[in-house]
PDB file of all heavy atoms in Angstrom:
ATOM      1  N   LYS A1608      50.688  -3.062 -22.610  1.00  0.00           N
ATOM      2  CA  LYS A1608      51.875  -3.850 -22.239  1.00  0.00           C
ATOM      3  C   LYS A1608      52.414  -3.339 -20.831  1.00  0.00           C
ATOM      4  O   LYS A1608      53.151  -4.132 -20.244  1.00  0.00           O
ATOM      5  CB  LYS A1608      52.958  -3.697 -23.283  1.00  0.00           C
ATOM      6  CG  LYS A1608      52.633  -4.437 -24.555  1.00  0.00           C
ATOM      7  CD  LYS A1608      53.538  -4.126 -25.718  1.00  0.00           C
ATOM      8  CE  LYS A1608      53.202  -4.824 -26.995  1.00  0.00           C
ATOM      9  NZ  LYS A1608      54.087  -4.452 -28.144  1.00  0.00           N
ATOM     10  N   LYS A1609      52.064  -2.197 -20.463  1.00  0.00           N
ATOM     11  CA  LYS A1609      52.554  -1.617 -19.162  1.00  0.00           C
ATOM     12  C   LYS A1609      51.446  -1.436 -18.192  1.00  0.00           C
ATOM     13  O   LYS A1609      51.575  -0.770 -17.170  1.00  0.00           O
ATOM     14  CB  LYS A1609      53.272  -0.356 -19.405  1.00  0.00           C
ATOM     15  CG  LYS A1609      54.554  -0.551 -20.268  1.00  0.00           C
ATOM     16  CD  LYS A1609      55.383   0.700 -20.457  1.00  0.00           C
ATOM     17  CE  LYS A1609      56.647   0.461 -21.312  1.00  0.00           C
ATOM     18  NZ  LYS A1609      57.406   1.675 -21.513  1.00  0.00           N
ATOM     19  N   SER A1610      50.275  -2.033 -18.485  1.00  0.00           N
ATOM     20  CA  SER A1610      49.098  -1.979 -17.589  1.00  0.00           C
ATOM     21  C   SER A1610      48.478  -3.362 -17.629  1.00  0.00           C
ATOM     22  O   SER A1610      49.150  -4.343 -17.870  1.00  0.00           O
ATOM     23  CB  SER A1610      48.178  -0.886 -18.029  1.00  0.00           C
ATOM     24  OG  SER A1610      47.039  -0.749 -17.196  1.00  0.00           O
ATOM     25  N   SER A1611      47.184  -3.428 -17.321  1.00  0.00           N
ATOM     26  CA  SER A1611      46.487  -4.708 -17.403  1.00  0.00           C
ATOM     27  C   SER A1611      44.976  -4.439 -17.725  1.00  0.00           C
ATOM     28  O   SER A1611      44.560  -3.376 -17.609  1.00  0.00           O
ATOM     29  CB  SER A1611      46.590  -5.522 -16.133  1.00  0.00           C
ATOM     30  OG  SER A1611      46.073  -4.749 -15.019  1.00  0.00           O
ATOM     31  N   VAL A1612      44.324  -5.446 -18.078  1.00  0.00           N
ATOM     32  CA  VAL A1612      42.922  -5.374 -18.527  1.00  0.00           C
ATOM     33  C   VAL A1612      41.970  -5.250 -17.317  1.00  0.00           C
ATOM     34  O   VAL A1612      42.140  -5.934 -16.338  1.00  0.00           O
ATOM     35  CB  VAL A1612      42.483  -6.513 -19.440  1.00  0.00           C
ATOM     36  CG1 VAL A1612      41.015  -6.504 -19.754  1.00  0.00           C
ATOM     37  CG2 VAL A1612      43.335  -6.568 -20.689  1.00  0.00           C
ATOM     38  N   LEU A1613      40.979  -4.346 -17.441  1.00  0.00           N
ATOM     39  CA  LEU A1613      39.973  -4.296 -16.370  1.00  0.00           C
ATOM     40  C   LEU A1613      39.166  -5.574 -16.395  1.00  0.00           C
ATOM     41  O   LEU A1613      38.694  -5.985 -17.444  1.00  0.00           O
ATOM     42  CB  LEU A1613      39.015  -3.077 -16.577  1.00  0.00           C
ATOM     43  CG  LEU A1613      39.676  -1.626 -16.596  1.00  0.00           C
ATOM     44  CD1 LEU A1613      38.681  -0.635 -16.966  1.00  0.00           C
ATOM     45  CD2 LEU A1613      40.383  -1.374 -15.277  1.00  0.00           C
ATOM     46  N   LYS A1614      38.856  -6.113 -15.275  1.00  0.00           N
ATOM     47  CA  LYS A1614      38.124  -7.368 -15.126  1.00  0.00           C
ATOM     48  C   LYS A1614      37.171  -7.354 -13.937  1.00  0.00           C
ATOM     49  O   LYS A1614      37.299  -6.499 -13.081  1.00  0.00           O
ATOM     50  CB  LYS A1614      39.154  -8.578 -14.946  1.00  0.00           C
ATOM     51  CG  LYS A1614      40.082  -8.808 -16.051  1.00  0.00           C
ATOM     52  CD  LYS A1614      40.988  -9.957 -15.728  1.00  0.00           C
ATOM     53  CE  LYS A1614      41.972 -10.219 -16.838  1.00  0.00           C
ATOM     54  NZ  LYS A1614      42.928 -11.353 -16.510  1.00  0.00           N
ATOM     55  N   LYS A1615      36.178  -8.207 -14.014  1.00  0.00           N
ATOM     56  CA  LYS A1615      35.274  -8.232 -12.932  1.00  0.00           C
ATOM     57  C   LYS A1615      36.071  -8.477 -11.535  1.00  0.00           C
ATOM     58  O   LYS A1615      36.935  -9.340 -11.499  1.00  0.00           O
ATOM     59  CB  LYS A1615      34.281  -9.415 -13.115  1.00  0.00           C
ATOM     60  CG  LYS A1615      33.225  -9.628 -12.078  1.00  0.00           C
ATOM     61  CD  LYS A1615      32.274 -10.668 -12.398  1.00  0.00           C
ATOM     62  CE  LYS A1615      31.180 -10.878 -11.366  1.00  0.00           C
ATOM     63  NZ  LYS A1615      30.209 -11.852 -11.680  1.00  0.00           N
ATOM     64  N   ASN A1616      35.700  -7.683 -10.621  1.00  0.00           N
ATOM     65  CA  ASN A1616      36.382  -7.750  -9.258  1.00  0.00           C
ATOM     66  C   ASN A1616      37.805  -7.397  -9.318  1.00  0.00           C
ATOM     67  O   ASN A1616      38.509  -7.616  -8.307  1.00  0.00           O
ATOM     68  CB  ASN A1616      36.162  -9.180  -8.665  1.00  0.00           C
ATOM     69  CG  ASN A1616      34.695  -9.492  -8.423  1.00  0.00           C
ATOM     70  OD1 ASN A1616      33.900  -8.667  -8.053  1.00  0.00           O
ATOM     71  ND2 ASN A1616      34.384 -10.692  -8.651  1.00  0.00           N
ATOM     72  N   ASN A1617      38.322  -6.864 -10.416  1.00  0.00           N
ATOM     73  CA  ASN A1617      39.737  -6.423 -10.526  1.00  0.00           C
ATOM     74  C   ASN A1617      39.867  -5.279 -11.408  1.00  0.00           C
ATOM     75  O   ASN A1617      39.966  -5.447 -12.628  1.00  0.00           O
ATOM     76  CB  ASN A1617      40.603  -7.558 -10.939  1.00  0.00           C
ATOM     77  CG  ASN A1617      42.132  -7.191 -10.864  1.00  0.00           C
ATOM     78  OD1 ASN A1617      42.434  -6.041 -10.652  1.00  0.00           O
ATOM     79  ND2 ASN A1617      42.972  -8.199 -11.064  1.00  0.00           N
ATOM     80  N   PHE A1618      39.837  -4.079 -10.863  1.00  0.00           N
ATOM     81  CA  PHE A1618      39.996  -2.819 -11.626  1.00  0.00           C
ATOM     82  C   PHE A1618      41.294  -2.094 -11.373  1.00  0.00           C
ATOM     83  O   PHE A1618      41.365  -0.888 -11.491  1.00  0.00           O
ATOM     84  CB  PHE A1618      38.773  -1.924 -11.324  1.00  0.00           C
ATOM     85  CG  PHE A1618      37.499  -2.314 -11.990  1.00  0.00           C
ATOM     86  CD1 PHE A1618      36.755  -3.389 -11.597  1.00  0.00           C
ATOM     87  CD2 PHE A1618      37.072  -1.602 -13.103  1.00  0.00           C
ATOM     88  CE1 PHE A1618      35.586  -3.769 -12.175  1.00  0.00           C
ATOM     89  CE2 PHE A1618      35.887  -1.999 -13.760  1.00  0.00           C
ATOM     90  CZ  PHE A1618      35.143  -3.031 -13.307  1.00  0.00           C
ATOM     91  N   ASN A1619      42.242  -2.903 -11.019  1.00  0.00           N
ATOM     92  CA  ASN A1619      43.576  -2.372 -10.789  1.00  0.00           C
ATOM     93  C   ASN A1619      44.315  -1.936 -12.045  1.00  0.00           C
ATOM     94  O   ASN A1619      45.255  -1.059 -11.935  1.00  0.00           O
ATOM     95  CB  ASN A1619      44.464  -3.391 -10.058  1.00  0.00           C
ATOM     96  CG  ASN A1619      43.885  -3.675  -8.676  1.00  0.00           C
ATOM     97  OD1 ASN A1619      43.683  -2.759  -7.855  1.00  0.00           O
ATOM     98  ND2 ASN A1619      43.778  -4.962  -8.303  1.00  0.00           N
TER      99      ASN A1619
END
Side-chain angles (χ1 to χ4, degrees):
K1608 289 172 183 175
K1609 297 183 179 180
S1610 182
S1611 60
V1612 174
L1613 299 177
K1614 297 178 181 179
K1615 182 177 181 178
N1616 298 323
N1617 185 350
F1618 282 74
N1619 293 311

